[in-house]
Amino acid sequence: LEGGKPDRVPVIPFLRDWGIRHAGFTFAEILENPSKYVYAQYRALRDVGADIVWDLMGVHAESEAMGSVLKIQKESPPSVAQYAINELNADLRKLRLLNPQKDGRLPQLLDVVHHLKKLVNGEVPVIAYVQGPFRHAAMLRGTESLLKDMLKSNDKCQKLLNIATDSLILYGAALVDAGADIIMIAEPFMAKDMMSKKMANDVEPFFTRLTETLVRTGAKVFLHLCGDFGDRMDVIKRVGMHGVSLDEKNDLGNAREVLGPRVCIIGNVNPTGTLVAGTADRVIRESREAIEKAGIDGAFILASGCLIPNTAPMKNLQALVN
């Protein structure tokens, strides 16, 4: 992540869902008892041999802590059932910054990071997840409503994005204090599948403020992007983070050309088409292609393009790591 060339290519498959199933738990179980998730991650680390452990990422905890209501599902991550902001003018006035030590399940997620840090004892880094500003705002307001707000009520939309960004800074700093070595910011809605480049440029200042502040905590910070970012890699370059994680829709050779030799590129073996449905030989071939496109001179981490489904066979994960 510092842009250098290591002794070998690091590998960080996204093992949240897979690790839960591998340990014999359901998603509902680990939300009820996060210590089971700590066990699941540590077991996945030992059995797969990857170079990182993940916190309990992507469960909309930040948005829940600020008033959104989640639907808890047995075998899959929760979804937002009720948004905190329905009437923009009235509900925006009532919105308050989150308190990571008190609100919702955030204290439990901080405990997950703390206990993972103690378990791995410096052997591998602990990575923690923070929503991007637009994603967080969308989970408070609703994606379609927020996109319309940007066109019709942009002043209020800007206020919401500011509150979302401030809250994410508080949570991210608390994660680092709990022991996170790396922060991954997930902002899939900036992809061209979701919004125009002009809209992405409008969101960029909030994203930059979040990134710059979290970098000052001393943690390494990278962006995880789902979707096609081919025409807006320049946005990523300007934000100034340590790295960028790209899914399989993005060409790593193009990313390297735009981002230059020092920005760490992370990716991007297809999690479903290859790691679940492919053969071990296909995993090896796709991994080598990713390394050759973006990792010959370092500043590269091999990873799945996104979360690996819990049905991926062990032999494919072992092929990725090996």
Side-chain angles (χ1 to χ4, degrees), residues 20-182:
I20 292 168
R21 170 71 68 86
H22 181 63
F25 301 135
T26 65
F27 217 106
E29 276 184 274
I30 59 94
L31 283 177
E32 182 69 25
N33 184 354
S35 64
K36 291 183 177 181
Y37 181 76
V38 173
Y39 166 76
Q41 271 299 293
Y42 193 66
R43 178 170 175 178
L45 173 69
R46 289 282 169 255
D47 291 353
V48 176
D51 294 318
I52 210 162
V53 285
W54 300 84
D55 80 335
L56 185 46
M57 56 191 293
V59 294
H60 308 304
E62 306 98 312
S63 308
E64 181 188 36
M66 293 177 69
S68 291
V69 178
L70 302 187
K71 178 183 178 182
I72 305 300
Q73 302 165 106
K74 183 178 179 181
E75 296 289 354
S76 56
S79 58
V80 177
Q82 182 178 330
Y83 297 108
I85 300 173
N86 292 307
E87 205 290 304
L88 187 59
N89 291 322
D91 292 339
L92 185 57
R93 286 195 294 269
K94 295 184 287 186
L95 198 64
R96 296 292 178 266
L97 296 176
L98 57 77
N99 183 335
Q101 310 298 334
K102 293 182 179 180
D103 292 341
R105 68 187 75 240
L106 296 182
Q108 293 176 305
L109 300 191
L110 295 178
D111 282 344
V112 166
V113 170
H114 174 72
H115 289 300
L116 282 172
K117 182 73 169 182
K118 287 178 66 177
L119 268 177
V120 299
N121 194 30
E123 179 186 348
V124 298
V126 177
I127 187 169
Y129 167 102
V130 172
Q131 295 188 98
F134 193 91
R135 179 186 174 93
H136 183 26
M139 295 304 105
L140 292 168
R141 173 69 171 137
T143 304
E144 185 176 343
S145 295
L146 185 59
L147 288 169
K148 290 178 179 177
D149 292 341
M150 291 185 73
L151 299 173
K152 296 180 179 179
S153 306
N154 196 41
D155 57 333
K156 295 182 179 64
C157 184
Q158 298 287 309
K159 289 180 182 178
L160 174 56
L161 284 165
N162 265 313
I163 296 170
T165 303
D166 290 341
S167 292
L168 295 169
I169 287 170
L170 291 172
Y171 181 49
L175 287 166
V176 176
D177 192 49
D181 303 290
I182 301 169

Side-chain angles (χ1 to χ4, degrees), residues 165 169 172-174 176-177 180-181 183 185 205-221 239-242:
T165 303
I169 287 170
V176 176
D177 192 49
D181 303 290
I183 297 292
I185 303 172
F206 303 97
F207 196 80
T208 300
R209 181 159 69 88
L210 173 62
T211 301
E212 288 180 345
T213 307
L214 293 183
V215 165
R216 290 192 188 101
T217 67
K220 295 291 186 287
V221 180
V239 169
M241 58 189 58
H242 297 101

Side-chain angles (χ1 to χ4, degrees), residues 181-256:
D181 303 290
I182 301 169
I183 297 292
M184 180 182 81
I185 303 172
E187 190 57 281
F189 295 121
M190 285 177 69
K192 71 178 185 179
D193 317 61
M194 290 295 296
M195 64 171 62
S196 68
K197 190 171 184 181
K198 180 187 180 303
M199 281 187 172
N201 289 336
D202 289 342
V203 175
E204 183 183 341
F206 303 97
F207 196 80
T208 300
R209 181 159 69 88
L210 173 62
T211 301
E212 288 180 345
T213 307
L214 293 183
V215 165
R216 290 192 188 101
T217 67
K220 295 291 186 287
V221 180
F222 74 82
L223 170 62
H224 174 65
L225 304 173
C226 294
D228 186 351
F229 277 76
D231 70 339
R232 54 201 67 183
M233 285 289 171
D234 56 325
V235 175
I236 309 310
K237 189 174 184 179
R238 288 194 297 270
V239 169
M241 58 189 58
H242 297 101
V244 58
S245 166
L246 298 165
D247 76 5
E248 63 278 5
K249 290 184 180 180
N250 297 275
D251 181 78
L252 296 190
N254 174 62
R256 175 58 74 209

Side-chain angles (χ1 to χ4, degrees), residues 269 283-293 296 302:
V269 177
V283 173
I284 292 168
R285 184 169 64 252
E286 201 167 306
S287 299
R288 285 178 172 161
E289 287 174 359
I291 295 167
E292 288 166 3
K293 283 185 174 183
I296 292 299
L302 182 66

